[in-house]
Amino acid sequence: MSKVCVIGLGYIGLPTASMMASAGHHVIGCDTDARIVATINEGHSHFDEPDLDMLLSAAVKTGRLRAQTTPAEADFFIIAVPTPFKNGKKPDMSFVDAATESIAPFLRPGDTVILESTSPVGTTERIAATLAARRPDLKFPKLKEQDTGDQYIHVAHCPERILPGDMVRELVTNDRIIGGLTEVCADKCVELYASFVRGMCFLTDCRTAEFVKLVENSYRDVNIAFANELSLISDRLNIDVWHAIELANKHPRVSILSPGPGVGGHCIAVDPWFIIDSAPEESRLVRAAREINDGKSQYVFEQVSKAMQRFRDPVVACYGLTYKPDVEDTRESPALDIVRKLATETSSRILVCEPMLDKLPGKLARINHIELTDADTARREADIVVFLVKHRKFRKLKSTMFLNKVVIDTIGLMHEPR
Ligand code: SAJ
């Protein structure tokens, strides 16, 4: 069994560290936030994810996982830190850079450094170059160099692929793409991942692996954008988009995704910008998809505002705040964006029904004409009902329950498949 040091104990690093510990490795989890470190050492996760607490508490109890604020010597270093974008939608690599600097003093010949964070093409090479500059005493292979041996530091990219809400299962079952700076680097990485991944590990070079990850999320973004564009076209033509998509999907080679209030989360709404940033002139479709998905929440806001003009003192009920169904995560949530806009740009009473949260997040909590209520109160008191997230708990709602209301259904909650 190996010694693994995981840098970043967030949404990806923590499940990965816990899974590696449960596979028998000795894992040091490293996070700059001392409160997160303390929570983990007590056996608890600092965010909600099904089955993670169980996996984590077992790993901590057996002593195979320990968290601390600084890295330590290890055979494998995993970098799993955020890669958001900054002004101008440019990738913000400051967390990856800081993580790289932090491990440099701990490297020994033969160690392997693996980047899991979704990153622009070229990042793995950049990590190797930074480490080589910090540690002139160590040998680093060049891209695609042949026959690097155990005296080298191996560097590879193994992009995370897990779906929030189903992370623990997907960590084991998903196939992985492993891109090495060299073939030996990729082989070293597989040695570690094969100890807990039941899916296949496909090997390539690090630039391709970086691109593949960005392609996966852009693929989804483009396809959701197509569905969102269809929803706008259908509104204009007075067609039920849900029924139209259902019928189009009866074709054996058509599989259209679902329109919604926009695209949220910290991955799909961000990663396509890394492609656009590195090849702006060629990425026309990827950019258009981003713009369509980002524009959808403004469109929904305008729909609601228009409906509000029909009432003197409208009460608006919004169903859902999280970025997607059945998770508690509100990061980049289009539903939250729409509700925030309604709360700040109107003075009407807004009822929010969100079974995944027990209080309104952040700034919303301080606005006095907005309140968190249950689904029945929302339904009873509202003039306008806006469906924003297709939580399992909302699926029992029927259109007959909202007969005297204006209903704005962005997620097809009321659509009954025929
Ligand atoms: N959405 C739609 N219509 C759909 C499907 C999704 O509007 O038909 C919306 C969701 O409501 C949500 C957003 O898209 O706002 C993204 O949700 P998601 O479930 O598609 O994806 P994420 O962001 O939770 O996770 C994605 C996954 N990538 C792919 O499916 C290609 C996951 O495997 C990645 O690990 C993750 O991004 C990541 O971290 O990159």
Side-chain angles (χ1 to χ4, degrees):
M1 286 299 149
S2 303
K3 194 164 170 197
V4 185
C5 180
V6 178
I7 312 294
L9 296 175
Y11 288 83
I12 300 303
L14 188 56
T16 305
S18 308
M19 185 58 78
M20 287 179 175
S22 85
H25 300 290
H26 290 279
V27 182
I28 303 285
C30 177
D31 201 287
T32 49
D33 187 330
R35 279 169 313 173
I36 288 182
V37 165
T39 309
I40 292 168
N41 284 333
E42 282 163 18
H44 301 297
S45 168
H46 56 99
F47 58 91
D48 284 295
E49 175 62 32
D51 300 331
L52 178 58
D53 246 18
M54 199 176 59
L55 192 72
L56 167 64
S57 66
V60 171
K61 243 184 232 145
T62 55
R64 291 221 179 83
L65 172 62
R66 189 162 45 82
Q68 53 188 54
T69 51
T70 47
E73 285 192 348
D75 308 309
F76 292 93
F77 292 85
I78 313 262
I79 297 178
V81 293
T83 47
F85 55 59
K86 52 189 179 190
N87 287 347
K89 313 273 197 232
K90 296 227 158 273
D92 174 359
M93 301 311 289
S94 57
F95 298 99
V96 171
D97 291 344
T100 307
E101 298 282 350
S102 77
I103 61 173
F106 298 94
L107 292 178
R108 300 162 308 179
D111 283 353
T112 303
V113 177
I114 301 164
L115 172 70
E116 277 234 11
S117 313
T118 306
S119 299
V121 173
T123 306
T124 311
E125 292 155 273
R126 204 166 92 132
I127 289 175
T130 305
L131 292 173
R134 293 290 168 272
R135 293 292 305 270
D137 56 316
L138 296 170
K139 283 184 169 176
F140 289 82
K142 299 210 169 26
L143 182 68
K144 297 187 183 173
E145 192 182 335
Q146 294 294 313
D147 193 34
T148 57
D150 262 356
Q151 70 279 27
Y152 280 80
I153 300 290
H154 311 286
V155 189
H157 182 42
C158 180
E160 60 91 359
R161 278 183 146 179
I162 48 182
L163 191 73
D166 198 18
M167 288 180 153
V168 173
R169 191 187 64 82
E170 287 206 355
L171 255 178
V172 175
T173 56
N174 282 359
D175 293 342
R176 299 298 291 253
I177 307 300
I178 294 181
L181 207 54
T182 66
E183 283 179 16
V184 178
C185 294
D187 290 341
K188 283 278 172 192
C189 184
V190 175
E191 263 175 41
L192 177 64
Y193 282 75
S195 65
F196 65 94
V197 170
R198 270 197 267 122
M200 301 280 288
C201 289
F202 294 99
L203 305 196
T204 179
D205 62 88
C206 53
R207 292 178 70 81
T208 308
E210 288 158 348
F211 188 52
V212 167
K213 166 67 196 197
L214 301 177
V215 165
E216 290 165 9
N217 281 1
S218 301
Y219 167 86
R220 196 144 170 88
D221 201 40
V222 166
N223 281 280
I224 298 169
F226 181 60
N228 276 334
E229 186 161 285
L230 292 182
S231 74
L232 306 188
I233 298 169
S234 301
D235 279 0
R236 158 97 23 135
L237 302 181
N238 202 18
I239 284 169
D240 174 350
V241 69
W242 307 98
H243 187 47
I245 289 177
E246 185 189 356
L247 293 179
N249 282 347
K250 304 281 183 207
H251 187 286
R253 285 175 295 284
V254 175
S255 180
I256 302 167
L257 292 178
S258 304
V263 166
H266 43 105
C267 312
I268 294 184
V270 176
D271 304 344
W273 289 111
F274 296 177
I275 293 188
I276 299 164
D277 181 62
S278 53
E281 279 162 25
E282 293 78 7
S283 311
R284 289 184 299 160
L285 181 59
V286 180
R287 180 191 292 275
R290 272 292 63 246
E291 287 167 355
I292 290 165
N293 287 334
D294 275 353
K296 187 67 194 288
S297 56
Q298 176 63 22
Y299 175 81
V300 174
F301 168 74
E302 284 164 13
Q303 269 185 313
V304 182
S305 304
K306 210 158 141 204
M308 287 167 83
Q309 286 163 14
R310 289 159 54 185
F311 297 85
R312 195 138 53 95
D313 198 8
V315 176
V316 182
C318 298
Y319 284 67
L321 268 191
T322 60
Y323 91 88
K324 69 174 186 176
D326 307 316
V327 299
E328 302 177 9
D329 196 340
T330 55
R331 283 174 305 164
E332 319 283 335
S333 165
L336 181 62
D337 249 23
I338 293 162
V339 172
R340 192 187 289 125
K341 258 194 155 173
L342 288 170
T344 51
E345 293 188 21
T346 77
S347 53
S348 298
R349 193 164 161 237
I350 297 171
L351 307 174
V352 175
C353 174
E354 177 45 88
M356 301 303 292
L357 302 176
D358 50 23
K359 58 179 183 352
L360 287 172
K363 288 182 188 152
L364 284 189
R366 290 192 287 277
I367 303 175
N368 56 18
H369 58 102
I370 174 164
E371 60 202 272
L372 194 64
T373 62
D374 58 87
D376 286 340
T377 312
R379 177 166 65 93
R380 226 178 18 249
E381 299 191 9
D383 302 300
I384 300 165
V385 175
V386 192
F387 295 124
L388 295 168
V389 186
K390 209 171 187 174
H391 289 309
R392 227 170 275 133
K393 287 198 175 139
F394 293 160
R395 291 187 196 162
K396 58 180 190 307
L397 299 172
K398 294 273 168 287
S399 55
T400 48
M401 299 161 101
F402 300 92
L403 288 179
N404 53 349
K405 318 276 181 195
V406 175
V407 174
I408 297 171
D409 184 2
T410 70
I411 46 171
L413 190 67
M414 297 291 113
H415 172 70
E416 287 177 14
R418 287 167 234 196

